[in-house]
Amino acid sequence: MYILGCLVQQHDLRLVALAFLVCLMACFTALNLLSRAQATEGGLRLAWLFGAAFAFGSGVWTTHFVAELAYRPGVPVEYAVGDTLISAAVPIAGAMLALLIFGARPGRAWPVAAGGVVLGGAVAGMHFLGMGAMRLPGTILFNPLLVAASVVSAMALSVLGLSRSDGEAKLADRLLGAVTLTLAVCTLHFTAMAAVTVLPGTLPARHEDVISAGPLAITVATASLAILMLSLFGALVDQHLATRVAREGKRLRQLTASTFEGLVIHREGIVLDVNEAFCRMVGQAPDAVRGRHVLDFVQPGSAAEIAERLKTPERLRSPVPIEIALTGAGGVPLPAELLCRQIEYNGADAVVASVRDLSDRKRAEEQIRHLAHHDAVTGLPNRFLFNDRFVQALELAERTGAGVAVLCLDLDRFKFVNDLLGHEGGDRLLVEVAERLRATVRGVDTVARLGGDEFAVAQPLADQPQSAAALASRLIEALARPFDIDGQHVQIGVSIGIAISPTDGRTGPKLLKNADTALYRAKAEGRNRLCFFEPEMDLRLQGRRALEQDLRQALSRGELALNYQPLFDCRSGELEGFEALLRWTHPVRGQVSPAEFIPLAEESGLILPIGRWALETACAEAVAWQDRLRVAVNLSPAQFKQQDLPVMVAEILARTGLPARRLELEVTEGLLIDNTERALGILRELKDLGVRISLDDFGTGYSSLSYLRRFPFDKLKIDKSFVKASDEDAEAAAIVSTIIAMGYNLGLSITAEGVETQSQLDLLRSQACHQAQGFLLGRPLPAREVSEMLSRRAEPAIAA
Ligand code: C2E
Ligand code: CA
Ligand code: CA
């Protein structure tokens, strides 16, 4: 009550409020500067500390004199200038000391206590020195109890005020601290003022400069205004800086969070900060990463290199990224790329390491490598990888003296099955084939798909040629088992050609070529078999290739011609027509048999233009013959692959003017095997044109009677081999008789070809065979001779 009474009765309360405000501002400013100091180090820290001490000391001094002005002791008061100035220096120096003590050991209790006590002491010292500077007519008496109370309370409140200002104090903490310190100052001031009693007397003799209350008021008001402005400015700057730092920090954090790259800030290997991306890579929380050594997060294989780089700063900051292996989540190695830069972090040098996850890129690279080396359908190595491995195997074999076998495989009937199943089914079949091949070979063997239905196997490290033969047999067996593709039973086979190093060649390409030659032979020998390479195969094949080349030009060079072999009625001996037969006069070799070049033309596809030419020529030449004479033209199965064969025939008939009934087309059973329905469809269309259809070479092929029933042929030609054998062989004669009888039953006309002897002809006549053809009756003749013969005698007959 006493203190309160002093405050209320002896003070101008407006000035008291001003003093309080000045003090609060000064304390708040001081604490702001203190927190700045605590965020920095070295010389800058001392400067911030001094700023804080100055703000506090000068603020306390101003507070004191504003409060003194508010004090009305009832007598005029003057102030000694020297003492007044000293009283300003004390709190500044005291506060500096207090803050140095306070900041000596962050986080401990005693520096706070000691700092607070010193600060309180400085405030008290200032107050009593300021009182001592007063000059008034009378004596000032102090109540010692109140003086003691004022000092103790100032010290206690100072300790309290500082205790919340540790480290990075928040704004609220700083405000609370400022209020507490303000209370410390004001409590001291007003308690100490209450301790004062003025005994009126005379003004002591003047031997110093004094300043009266009026000018002091102006000085203090100016000072307090300056402090207020300074504080305000400081606060504004501080706030600005704080928000800028905060914004900067936030932006940086967003930036680092939004990058895919892991960022690690470290100083001498110790992690100071990390971003989320890095934490994701190593599968740890940010707090678990900070403070650890960077080497804790890399695989042992990369640790040595990074440790080396940490030691040599120039290499550490090299602009060339290095590839390392991080220890990812769960300890799994994670391929990554590392790039380091030096930065300043919290006022000191640090290194920021950016880490890029390479696992996607590695995966993509791996995938590209795989695609480049493997077949997309079956996943088997492709030709490229096969050659690579094959060359390796050969090099190894060269050193050890062992042989390497290469097996070339070609699926039999694949094209037919592929047509049947459609593209997808065909692919699935290839996948199953690949599966079986893989399961049949050993681990060291390489199976590859070279393209289409061609596969290859390289077999190193084995006794040759037994091992290759055994493997080939196993492969044939494996592919002979039926496949189940979408519920369809599919049967294919495989032909295999084998070449073995070093006998059949020393280089990859040579061996592959020779294995291919052997494969060709295997297929020619009837498929589903294996064949070893032999040198003479090569020669024969080369001969064939050369002939094929020549055949390509034969048509345009006019080397092809048609001969016509007469067909006679067996019983009456009348000439009924001719069969057109191709002849090739090779410029060097002379006559080449159609038995030799027709298969060649079929393989190369040349049969299409050649067959068309033969048909057109035969029709054109036959038009000139007597109207009742027919012309028979052979059609190859390959020509039935052309969907528009009936259209072509119709066009040729129209163009040449030959009536359809005078044309006979000779086909073999071969065309009915591969794709019965389609072939039968085309045959029917041909027959609808009015053309006659003959089944040639009957008895040699499959001779399936079901074909005869399913398709209404006009004519059956008994193969010449039966006719030939019928002379000596009773069984062959029986077959000829049976076929003729069967022809009668089915309503077919029967022709016997290859009639060379009278006895053969007699047999045919006795069985009432319809037609005969053979050297006995007439050899194939050039077109010119046919027309001569036809004009010479109107009726050539067997009898003649
Ligand atoms: P093919 O259709 O069976 O023709 C009959 C073959 O028997 C002809 O041989 C003919 O000269 C021969 N020949 C005729 N009478 C006798 C005989 O009494 N004894 C013996 N040993 N042979 C006789 P060629 O002309 O060498 O033709 C061979 C094969 O070439 C033909 O057999 C036919 O399949 C094919 N061919 C010929 N010309 C053509 C053609 O224009 N187109 C097609 N696709 N194939 C043709
Ligand atoms: Ca024929
Ligand atoms: Ca024939």
Side-chain angles (χ1 to χ4, degrees), residues 517-701:
T517 304
L519 169 65
Y520 190 88
R521 177 63 174 277
K523 287 206 286 190
E525 282 184 357
R527 296 164 187 266
N528 227 7
R529 61 181 69 209
L530 65 99
C531 197
F532 278 94
F533 173 75
E534 285 157 25
E536 66 272 10
M537 281 179 192
D538 210 14
L539 292 174
R540 216 178 312 155
L541 195 68
Q542 276 169 15
R544 283 183 73 105
R545 296 247 162 86
L547 200 62
E548 193 183 304
Q549 276 303 319
D550 294 344
L551 186 57
R552 252 172 232 289
Q553 286 151 8
L555 198 60
S556 56
R557 289 184 186 162
E559 292 166 10
L560 295 180
L562 286 180
N563 276 6
Y564 297 92
Q565 187 175 29
L567 298 158
F568 293 98
D569 182 311
C570 256
R571 288 155 299 178
S572 68
E574 267 180 47
L575 178 66
E576 294 192 319
F578 295 87
E579 178 179 1
L581 294 163
L582 267 171
R583 293 291 173 263
W584 179 18
T585 314
H586 189 277
V588 181
R589 298 187 190 202
Q591 289 295 319
V592 182
S593 162
E596 195 176 342
F597 73 82
I598 294 288
L600 213 60
E602 284 177 337
E603 271 165 34
S604 60
L606 284 171
I607 191 66
L608 299 182
I610 291 176
R612 181 197 189 100
W613 176 87
L615 184 66
E616 178 141 26
T617 310
C619 291
E621 291 177 341
V623 171
W625 307 341
Q626 279 98 324
D627 187 52
R628 53 183 188 79
L629 295 179
R630 294 203 174 95
V631 64
V633 179
N634 293 286
L635 285 186
S636 154
Q639 290 175 274
F640 279 77
K641 296 251 160 71
Q642 304 168 281
Q643 197 68 58
D644 61 347
L645 181 68
V647 178
M648 187 185 92
V649 173
E651 272 172 14
I652 287 175
L653 287 174
R655 203 159 43 232
T656 58
L658 186 77
R661 68 183 156 77
R662 291 182 57 198
L663 179 62
E664 264 178 15
L665 295 176
E666 297 192 1
V667 300
T668 54
E669 282 173 301
L671 91 102
L672 295 170
I673 304 163
D674 268 3
N675 202 342
T676 314
E677 285 313 317
R678 227 180 96 179
L680 286 180
I682 295 178
L683 278 180
R684 248 175 231 122
E685 282 182 59
L686 287 171
K687 206 172 146 92
D688 289 346
L689 292 175
V691 172
R692 285 162 59 98
I693 309 289
S694 312
L695 187 58
D696 204 356
D697 301 343
F698 189 77
T700 53

Side-chain angles (χ1 to χ4, degrees), residues 37-370:
Q38 277 162 340
T40 50
E41 283 163 41
L44 202 60
R45 181 182 153 86
L46 274 181
W48 283 121
L49 273 184
F50 180 75
F54 183 83
F56 183 78
S58 62
V60 167
W61 183 81
T62 312
T63 304
H64 175 84
F65 282 99
V66 172
E68 282 304 275
L69 287 175
Y71 181 60
R72 286 163 308 204
V75 288
V77 181
E78 285 178 333
Y79 299 89
V81 173
D83 289 357
T84 304
L85 287 179
I86 290 172
S87 73
V90 166
I92 294 173
M96 184 70 192
L97 181 66
L99 292 182
L100 280 174
I101 295 171
F102 169 71
R105 282 272 187 282
R108 297 284 196 83
W110 70 262
V112 178
V117 167
V118 172
L119 198 67
V123 174
M126 184 273 131
H127 180 84
F128 293 108
L129 274 172
M131 290 296 288
M134 277 175 124
R135 299 292 178 261
L136 45 79
T139 316
I140 297 173
L141 296 178
F142 289 98
N143 176 339
L145 200 66
L146 281 174
V147 167
S150 73
V151 174
V152 170
S153 66
M155 288 176 170
L157 283 167
S158 293
V159 172
L160 199 64
L162 280 185
S163 69
R164 302 293 299 263
S165 310
D166 207 15
E168 290 144 37
K170 299 223 168 52
L171 179 69
D173 283 339
R174 272 179 282 156
L175 266 174
L176 201 67
V179 169
T180 313
L181 286 179
T182 304
L183 281 179
V185 175
C186 294
T187 306
L188 177 119
H189 184 90
F190 294 109
T191 308
M193 289 316 288
V196 167
T197 311
V198 178
L199 274 184
T202 54
L203 201 66
R206 237 192 241 193
H207 47 77
E208 58 183 349
D209 291 337
V210 294
I211 184 166
S212 63
L216 183 67
I218 293 166
T219 311
V220 167
T222 314
S224 63
L225 202 66
I227 285 183
L228 272 173
M229 301 259 286
L230 254 172
S231 310
L232 198 63
F233 180 70
L236 282 176
V237 167
D238 190 66
Q239 193 189 7
H240 178 71
L241 279 179
T243 50
R244 208 172 74 178
V245 165
R247 214 184 304 138
E248 197 86 334
K250 198 171 155 198
R251 212 171 61 192
L252 210 68
R253 218 161 306 252
Q254 280 173 345
L255 208 67
T256 59
S258 68
T259 154
F260 291 119
E261 278 170 30
L263 294 175
V264 181
I265 297 172
H266 69 87
R267 193 173 286 143
E268 276 146 20
I270 303 298
V271 177
L272 302 173
D273 208 351
V274 285
N275 72 345
E276 273 171 45
F278 184 81
C279 294
R280 265 199 304 277
M281 284 182 202
V282 296
Q284 306 223 24
D287 284 337
V289 178
R290 284 192 203 105
R292 302 256 302 271
H293 198 279
V294 288
L295 290 183
D296 292 351
F297 303 101
V298 297
Q299 290 283 305
S302 303
E305 181 165 12
I306 294 179
E308 182 62 33
R309 283 189 174 232
L310 283 173
K311 269 187 243 151
T312 43
E314 310 80 56
R315 290 201 47 218
L316 183 68
R317 294 185 305 259
S318 150
V320 184
I322 56 166
E323 283 192 14
I324 59 163
L326 285 181
T327 302
V332 188
L334 189 85
E337 197 174 47
L338 173 74
L339 191 69
C340 295
R341 288 228 188 297
Q342 180 135 20
I343 57 158
E344 197 190 289
Y345 186 78
N346 281 351
D349 279 352
V351 172
V352 59
S354 59
V355 184
R356 183 178 297 170
D357 183 349
L358 290 186
S359 31
D360 281 349
R361 200 166 88 188
K362 292 269 166 188
R363 250 194 306 278
E365 279 172 6
E366 188 50 46
Q367 213 168 348
I368 289 166
R369 222 186 340 263
H370 187 88

